[in-house]
Amino acid sequence: MDVYVEKQKCTGCEHCKDVCPVGVFVMKDSGAPDVNSDTAPAEWQWKGTEDPATFAKWKDVQDGHTHFKEKSVAVNGSACILCQACLIECEGECIVITDDTSTVYHSVYK
Ligand code: SF4
Ligand code: SF4
């Protein structure tokens, strides 16, 4: 299983880390030197610029979560059991999972 986060869309809400039963995700400060320590494709790595639409949608939301301070890093994608919990909790709709048959799953916030 490959698990990637499109980091420019990640709000830093931590929902993925909270719901994942196998510890796929860790949160890193967006300025941390190892924020791109996963194996996500280059276009999904953090380069310092938020996705404008995602930022506009979540920047003023007060839901008890800090937004746009941290990024989720999928450091343990091989442990994913495809429970799909993260796929419905992801504010930024930025988690992409590819299973062993090359089926691709995208997170959709519900
Ligand atoms: S689908 Fe995979 S990465 Fe997502 S919460 Fe479940 S085990 Fe974790
Ligand atoms: S749930 Fe989505 S938006 Fe929230 S921290 Fe995880 S990857 Fe980022």
Side-chain angles (χ1 to χ4, degrees), residues 3-11 16 25 36 38 40-41 43-46 71-74 90 94-96:
V3 184
Y4 298 134
V5 175
E6 297 178 61
K7 295 197 190 83
Q8 68 274 21
K9 295 182 179 178
C10 174
T11 71
C16 53
F25 305 96
N36 288 318
D38 56 356
E43 66 269 26
W44 293 348
Q45 297 287 12
W46 178 241
K71 294 293 172 184
S72 175
V73 184
C90 177
C94 54
I95 297 171
V96 181

Side-chain angles (χ1 to χ4, degrees), residues 8-30:
Q8 68 274 21
K9 295 182 179 178
C10 174
T11 71
C13 68
E14 299 195 10
H15 291 169
C16 53
K17 182 176 77 72
D18 291 345
V19 300
C20 182
V22 292
V24 166
F25 305 96
V26 297
M27 302 303 300
K28 301 278 187 184
D29 187 280
S30 58

Side-chain angles (χ1 to χ4, degrees), residues 1-4 80 82 86-87 95-99 103-105:
M1 214 79 70
D2 289 327
V3 184
Y4 298 134
C80 174
L82 202 55
C86 66
L87 296 178
I95 297 171
V96 181
I97 299 176
T98 305
D99 72 12
T103 302
V104 180
Y105 302 80

Side-chain angles (χ1 to χ4, degrees), residues 2 9 17 28 33 49 52 55 58 62 67 76 79 83 87 106:
D2 289 327
K9 295 182 179 178
K17 182 176 77 72
K28 301 278 187 184
T49 305
F55 186 74
W58 291 100
Q62 303 291 327
H67 292 117
N76 195 21
C83 72
L87 296 178
H106 292 265

Side-chain angles (χ1 to χ4, degrees), residues 20 37 48 57 65 70 77 86:
C20 182
S37 57
K57 180 178 180 181
H65 296 273
E70 295 181 311
C86 66

